[in-house]
Amino acid sequence: MAPISNDNLRDAGLRFELTDEGAFLRLCWNPGIVMELRDVQASVTAVEAVSPSCRRPLLVHIDLVDGISAPARNLLLEETCSSRTAVLGTDEVARVMTAFNYRAATPSQYFTDEAEAIEWLTSEGEDGFGAGGG
């Protein structure tokens, strides 16, 4: 559960932390930011660097993020760097902020409970994408 060590990414002024949890990756956005296109591009680069040969499940913490710019939101909808994405927030503000998520190119769901999010990420249903939640 150690942060991904990549000096080039760390020195780029990133506004998130990426950790490898074994069965999935965990992406924690810094509180108080508005996620911009450059932030999302950097997170995609980091995720792809950790798993260059295959896409892995991704747990995204967005607690206390102030917002997401339209270009960043559009990239998130198109991006396929993970096999599926669980977005974890604690309130309705986070849910509203990520309501676009249902249109994402990869299976994605919003959760308020971390255990449920991890269960969905790491279990496979008949369709191979998991069995719901959130």
Side-chain angles (χ1 to χ4, degrees), residues 39-91:
D39 299 317
V40 174
Q41 289 169 328
S43 71
V44 168
T45 298
V47 167
E48 290 175 342
V50 172
S51 297
S53 62
C54 68
R55 297 181 307 142
R56 294 171 58 194
L58 179 64
L59 177 62
V60 179
H61 291 261
I62 61 161
D63 291 339
L64 306 177
V65 169
D66 285 347
I68 302 173
S69 73
R73 182 176 56 243
N74 291 339
L75 179 57
L76 286 173
L77 287 173
E78 298 169 2
E79 190 49 55
T80 59
C81 67
S82 66
S83 58
R84 68 176 101 173
T85 303
V87 178
L88 184 63
T90 57
D91 58 21

Side-chain angles (χ1 to χ4, degrees), residues 3-125:
I4 304 306
S5 177
N6 186 324
D7 292 333
N8 293 333
L9 293 174
R10 187 171 37 251
D11 293 341
L14 297 180
R15 301 188 323 159
F16 63 85
E17 181 178 358
L18 182 65
T19 56
D20 188 336
E21 304 289 327
F24 62 94
L25 300 174
R26 180 185 306 263
L27 178 67
C28 297
W29 289 99
N30 293 349
I33 68 165
V34 173
M35 293 166 52
E36 300 292 345
L37 179 60
R38 65 181 170 80
D39 299 317
V40 174
Q41 289 169 328
S43 71
V44 168
T45 298
V47 167
E48 290 175 342
V50 172
S51 297
S53 62
C54 68
R55 297 181 307 142
R56 294 171 58 194
L58 179 64
L59 177 62
V60 179
H61 291 261
I62 61 161
D63 291 339
L64 306 177
V65 169
D66 285 347
I68 302 173
S69 73
R73 182 176 56 243
N74 291 339
L75 179 57
L76 286 173
L77 287 173
E78 298 169 2
E79 190 49 55
T80 59
C81 67
S82 66
S83 58
R84 68 176 101 173
T85 303
V87 178
L88 184 63
T90 57
D91 58 21
E92 289 304 309
V93 173
R95 182 185 299 270
V96 169
M97 190 172 62
T98 60
F100 65 88
N101 203 40
Y102 77 94
R103 298 187 331 235
T106 58
S108 302
Q109 287 195 36
Y110 178 84
F111 294 86
T112 56
D113 181 271
E114 183 172 345
E116 289 179 13
I118 292 170
E119 172 66 24
W120 181 78
L121 280 176
T122 58
S123 67
E124 292 200 14

